[in-house]
């Protein structure tokens, strides 16, 4: 550097330039260098501010976008929640409706089954009631007819065999006879057609079964017609004044 300054000075002297010019030239180099440095610093500051402003704008745009996205997601969540609640309500309604229909169907099934059983029992009952007079006639014949000869005995045994077969068939259908003699009169089972005064039995006792009653299972198929005991009435004595007045 010293050699270069010397060379510059020598050249200046040779060219006849004044010393002030030289010094001014020397002093201009640092100023120019400082100017360049200041310009670069200003440029960097402006660029930094520009970057900061750009980053701030980008951040604000990102925050706005994020806010809008959050609101959209919240709205979608609210809509989905409402849809779920609506589906739950519909499911509960359908479940209640299904249970009601199932209960109605079960009641209908029980009712139709009961009606079917009652109808079958009624048909059976009516059919057996039509056959009971035949049984009654067989029993009357057995009690009134007294076979004397061998031929009459053979005939008696033959129709008694038919009677026994008919009774066995009725038993298989669930028919059983009542045995009311000696029991207390029950209007649910018996029908009193005669009353007989007596001291041998308490009042209301069934003395005799005139027409046999029957059960069908645990129900009354036909009431028994019976004779019932009644209290024996004593003959009242007539007073003397009434007897004397009657004789006079």
């Amino acid at each position: 550097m010293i050699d270069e300054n010397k060379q510059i000075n020598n050249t200046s002297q040779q060219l006849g330039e004044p010393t002030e010019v030289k010094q001014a030239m020397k002093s201009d180099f640092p100023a120019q260098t400082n100017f360049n440095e200041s310009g670069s610093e200003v440029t960097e500051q402006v660029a930094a501010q520009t970057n900061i402003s750009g980053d701030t704008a980008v951040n604000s745009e990102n925050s706005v976008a994020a806010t809008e996205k959050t609101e959209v997601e919240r709205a979608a969540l609210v809509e989905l929640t409402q849809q779920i609640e609506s589906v739950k309500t519909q499911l509960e309604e359908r479940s209640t409706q299904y249970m009601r229909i199932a209960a109605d169907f079960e009641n209908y099934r029980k009712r139709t089954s009961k009606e079917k059983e009652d109808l079958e029992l009624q048909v059976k009952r009516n059919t057996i009631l039509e056959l009971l007079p035949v049984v009654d006639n067989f029993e009357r014949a057995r009690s009134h007819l007294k076979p004397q000869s061998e031929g009459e005995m053979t005939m008696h045994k033959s129709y008694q065999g038919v009677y026994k077969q008919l009774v066995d068939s009725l038993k298989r259908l669930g028919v059983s006879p009542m045995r009311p003699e000696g029991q207390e009169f029950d209007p649910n089972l018996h029908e009193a057609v005669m009353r007989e005064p007596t001291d041998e039995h308490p009042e209301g006792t069934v003395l005799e079964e005139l027409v046999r009653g029957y059960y069908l299972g645990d129900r009354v198929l036909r009431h028994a017609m019976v004779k019932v005991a009644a209290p024996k009435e004593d003959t009242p004595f007539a007073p003397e004044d009434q007897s004397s007045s009657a004789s006079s």
Side-chain angles (χ1 to χ4, degrees):
M1 295 294 294
I2 296 173
D3 294 336
E4 290 178 356
N5 290 328
K6 288 180 178 181
Q7 290 179 1
I8 291 170
N9 291 329
N10 294 328
T11 306
S12 299
Q13 290 177 1
Q14 290 178 1
L15 295 174
E17 293 179 353
T19 306
E20 293 80 2
V21 175
K22 296 178 183 178
Q23 294 177 352
M25 290 176 65
K26 291 179 181 179
S27 62
D28 288 339
F29 285 105
Q32 186 177 1
T33 303
N34 294 330
F35 176 77
N36 292 333
E37 292 177 357
S38 300
S40 62
E41 291 177 358
V42 170
T43 302
E44 291 176 356
Q45 292 177 358
V46 171
Q49 293 177 357
T50 303
N51 292 332
I52 292 171
S53 299
D55 293 338
T56 304
V58 171
N59 292 331
S60 62
E61 290 178 357
N62 291 335
S63 63
V64 171
T67 303
E68 293 178 353
K69 183 178 180 181
T70 303
E71 292 178 354
V72 171
E73 291 177 351
R74 186 181 296 109
L77 181 61
V78 171
E79 184 178 359
L80 289 175
T81 304
Q82 293 177 352
Q83 292 179 359
I84 291 172
E85 293 297 330
S86 177
V87 171
K88 286 183 178 179
T89 303
Q90 293 179 3
L91 180 61
E92 292 178 357
E93 292 177 354
R94 295 295 185 275
S95 298
T96 304
Q97 185 178 4
Y98 170 77
M99 293 176 64
R100 189 182 300 112
I101 292 173
D104 292 340
F105 177 76
E106 183 65 19
N107 293 332
Y108 169 77
R109 187 187 65 80
K110 291 181 179 178
R111 185 173 63 255
T112 53
S113 178
K114 183 66 168 56
E115 291 176 354
K116 182 180 179 181
E117 291 178 358
D118 292 342
L119 181 60
E120 291 178 354
L121 182 61
Q122 186 65 28
V123 172
K124 182 188 293 186
R125 182 176 182 274
N126 293 336
T127 304
I128 295 173
L129 284 174
E130 293 293 329
L131 295 176
L132 290 181
V134 180
V135 179
D136 296 337
N137 291 331
F138 273 113
E139 292 180 349
R140 291 191 188 98
R142 184 177 62 178
S143 61
H144 289 88
L145 294 178
K146 302 296 181 181
Q148 300 296 328
S149 62
E150 185 177 353
E152 292 177 353
M153 183 59 68
T154 303
M155 186 179 295
H156 177 75
K157 290 181 179 179
S158 63
Y159 76 75
Q160 286 301 314
V162 176
Y163 166 73
K164 184 178 183 301
Q165 185 179 2
L166 179 59
V167 170
D168 292 339
S169 299
L170 293 177
K171 286 182 179 179
R172 286 192 295 270
L173 292 174
V175 179
S176 59
M178 295 183 183
R179 304 296 181 186
E181 291 87 351
Q183 297 179 1
E184 185 180 358
F185 175 78
D186 186 353
N188 296 320
L189 304 176
H190 311 138
E191 182 180 352
V193 294
M194 292 181 63
R195 288 171 62 88
E196 180 178 340
T198 181
D199 292 334
E200 297 178 0
H201 301 280
E203 181 182 3
T205 303
V206 177
L207 300 177
E208 183 182 356
E209 183 183 35
L210 303 177
V211 177
R212 180 165 294 178
Y214 290 93
Y215 295 104
L216 179 59
D218 56 352
R219 299 184 181 183
V220 177
L221 177 62
R222 188 178 73 178
H223 291 77
M225 295 183 181
V226 297
K227 180 169 64 175
V228 183
K232 190 172 183 180
E233 298 178 357
D234 296 331
T235 305
F237 293 98
E240 294 180 358
D241 54 352
Q242 291 181 1
S243 60
S244 60
S245 61
S247 62
S248 61

